[in-house]
């Protein structure tokens, strides 16, 4: 959205963000790195899920022809589970 308040041009932007990730990684010992067919003992296992939700808003204010000011805010909610 665009507006002019007290002689300054404003451009208002807003949005949302959402993502999910799933991690399922295993690391094994190996006696000969050239022979990848031989799998050794499990040395590490990483599992879990993450989720991020966010909302944001910003205002671009044109103060004059060569100077602008951007003001914004973002709120995030992050969650990890099963790991």
């Amino acid at each position: 959205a665009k507006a002019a308040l007290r002689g300054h041009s404003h451009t208002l932007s807003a949005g949302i963000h959402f993502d999910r990730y799933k991690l399922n990684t295993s690391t094994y010992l190996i006696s000969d790195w050239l022979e990848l067919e031989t799998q050794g003992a499990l040395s590490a296992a990483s599992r879990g899920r993450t989720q991020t939700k966010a909302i944001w808003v910003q205002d671009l204010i044109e103060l004059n022809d060569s100077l602008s000011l951007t003001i914004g805010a973002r709120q995030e909610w992050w969650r990890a589970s099963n790991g």
Side-chain angles (χ1 to χ4, degrees), residues 21-24 46-50 79-83:
Y21 294 99
K22 181 179 180 182
L23 177 65
N24 185 3
S46 300
R47 310 279 186 265
R49 296 171 186 238
T50 63
R79 180 178 171 203
S81 62
N82 300 328

Side-chain angles (χ1 to χ4, degrees), residues 3-76:
L5 302 172
R6 293 191 182 150
H8 299 296
S9 171
H10 289 257
T11 303
L12 188 63
S13 303
I16 60 172
H17 168 90
F18 178 79
D19 64 47
R20 283 191 290 189
Y21 294 99
K22 181 179 180 182
L23 177 65
N24 185 3
T25 302
S26 299
T27 304
Y28 297 90
L29 299 176
I30 189 166
S31 59
D32 183 359
W33 65 275
L34 293 174
E35 183 59 46
L36 298 178
E37 302 295 321
T38 61
Q39 178 175 307
L42 178 67
S43 65
S46 300
R47 310 279 186 265
R49 296 171 186 238
T50 63
Q51 177 178 295
T52 305
K53 297 177 186 176
I55 56 173
W56 60 271
V57 63
Q58 74 178 25
D59 186 9
L60 172 64
I61 305 165
E62 299 288 339
L63 300 174
N64 58 43
D65 289 341
S66 61
L67 184 62
S68 61
L69 173 67
T70 302
I71 301 171
R74 179 180 175 101
Q75 174 65 50
E76 289 190 358

